[in-house]
């Protein structure tokens, strides 16, 4: 096995790949990668596999397999603490375990785990971990107390770079307000969450947010569908690596994602930019680069598609995958 291929099968690298697939809802692909690497069941004893236990637990939770999720999280916690790692900013396993315990009906243990996580996050001064713990505590508490904790989570996460966790907290706060029939508040929180989902490329959470918005009586804002502004951050990364003449396999290795994910992202890039393939990418970004080098905004008529993002459908190619 080549060194780059070996690295992709190690714990931390595989954890990054599974995390990306979770955010785009590609659960089957995540299971396939784990199975191919021999990481679907018992994991090596090395501490470097703690992050993979954490992400695998999230995968189980997303699919409703709560008991397996909790088992992975508890093992993750044991490995971290045996290695002397107690800072929840490394992996907020107690926050996820609290949600698993709550789903299994063990509310007392869920509250204990969330409280311990909050205390440790405050001690270590970790706003990201504190925000996650407050969100977990809010979801377990529910009611007015739960809403207060969720609001605290939003305030804390707004001061951290954890945009996706902020989106989750806002989505939960919006859902709670919607269930309480405070529809204006619900729509405000959910629209903020929707914008963050688009920025992060979190399509799975975005679907949930759109459903909540519709239940609140809102007409969800459609994301930009064509042109350079329609690309998600991950799509831009993939596109720029493709412009640099990296193969799909090389892009996948650099971004710690599956090759199929690279192909899907490229397919979306081609559709949104209305270009026929890789040769069109180089031309499109070449025009943008030339315009910016001259210190001017690119003129629409100088872009390959006239700047409209629309070209005859026969020019589109959807042959190419987070």
């Amino acid at each position: 096995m080549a060194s780059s291929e070996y690295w992709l099968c190690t714990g931390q690298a595989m954890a990054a790949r599974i995390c990306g697939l979770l955010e785009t809802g590609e659960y089957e692909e995540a299971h396939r990668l784990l199975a191919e690497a021999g990481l679907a069941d018992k994991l090596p004893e090395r501490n470097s596999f703690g992050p993979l236990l954490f992400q695998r637990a999230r995968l189980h939770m997303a699919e409703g397999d709560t008991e397996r999720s909790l088992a992975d999280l508890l093992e993750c916690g044991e490995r971290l603490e045996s290695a002397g790692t107690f800072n929840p900013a490394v992996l907020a396993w107690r926050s996820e375990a609290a949600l698993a315990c709550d789903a299994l009906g063990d509310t007392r243990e869920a509250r204990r785990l969330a409280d311990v996580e909050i205390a440790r996050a405050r001690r270590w001064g970790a706003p990201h971990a504190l925000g996650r713990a407050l969100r977990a505590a809010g979801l377990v508490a529910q009611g007015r107390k739960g809403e207060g904790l969720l609001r605290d989570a939003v305030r804390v996460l707004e001061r951290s770079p954890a945009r996706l966790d902020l989106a989750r907290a806002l989505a939960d706060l919006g859902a709670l307000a919607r269930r309480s029939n405070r529809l204006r508040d619900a729509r405000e929180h959910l629209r903020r969450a929707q914008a963050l989902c688009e920025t992060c490329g979190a399509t799975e959470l975005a679907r949930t947010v759109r459903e909540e918005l519709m239940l609140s009586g809102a007409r969800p804002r459609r994301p930009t569908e064509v042109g350079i502004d329609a690309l998600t951050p991950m799509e831009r990364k993939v596109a720029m690596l493709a412009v640099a003449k990296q193969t799909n396999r090389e892009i996948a290795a650099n971004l710690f994602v599956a090759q199929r994910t690279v192909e899907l992202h490229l397919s979306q890039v081609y559709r949104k930019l209305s270009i026929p393939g890789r040769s069109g990418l180089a031309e499109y970004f070449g025009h943008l680069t030339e315009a910016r080098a001259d210190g001017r905004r690119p003129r629409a008529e100088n872009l390959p598609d006239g700047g409209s993002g629309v070209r005859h459908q026969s020019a589109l190619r959807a042959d190419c995958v987070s």
Side-chain angles (χ1 to χ4, degrees), residues 45-199:
E45 295 297 329
R46 295 191 295 278
N47 290 330
S48 61
F49 282 87
L52 181 55
L53 278 166
F54 182 81
Q55 298 300 340
R56 197 173 72 175
R58 293 184 60 224
L59 175 61
H60 292 320
M61 190 70 173
E63 295 181 316
D65 194 345
T66 311
E67 291 183 354
R68 289 187 70 185
S69 175
L70 182 58
D72 273 354
L73 288 166
L74 295 178
E75 184 179 347
C76 173
E78 288 174 6
R79 292 193 184 201
L80 288 172
E81 298 198 346
S82 68
T85 303
F86 300 97
N87 185 348
V90 176
L91 281 177
W93 67 270
R94 283 187 183 83
S95 296
E96 297 294 326
L99 297 177
C101 285
D102 187 50
L104 291 170
D106 192 349
T107 305
R108 183 174 180 178
E109 179 63 6
R111 287 174 178 164
R112 186 192 73 79
L113 286 165
D115 288 344
V116 171
E117 193 92 310
I118 289 171
R120 293 199 175 189
R122 291 190 192 281
R123 188 182 313 145
W124 285 92
H128 179 193
L130 178 58
R132 291 185 83 156
L134 288 167
R135 171 180 173 258
L139 292 173
V140 171
Q142 300 183 350
R144 288 190 176 182
K145 181 179 180 181
E147 181 174 357
L149 288 165
L150 286 173
R151 289 185 182 278
D152 289 343
V154 168
R155 280 193 288 269
V156 169
L157 290 167
E158 283 175 335
R159 302 194 300 271
S160 84
R163 301 293 88 185
L164 186 51
D165 281 297
L166 175 58
R168 291 190 182 103
L170 285 165
D172 294 329
L173 192 56
L176 190 153
R178 193 266 305 165
R179 291 193 296 271
S180 301
N181 207 34
R182 301 197 317 277
L183 301 183
R184 176 178 289 183
D185 287 346
R187 289 192 285 267
E188 178 183 346
H189 300 315
L190 292 168
R191 283 180 175 133
R192 285 188 65 196
Q194 183 183 38
L196 286 167
C197 287
E198 290 179 19
T199 300

Side-chain angles (χ1 to χ4, degrees), residues 246-260:
Q246 290 195 13
T247 66
N248 289 0
R249 185 183 183 87
E250 289 170 336
I251 294 172
N254 279 325
L255 298 180
F256 304 119
V257 297
Q259 186 170 329
R260 174 61 183 153

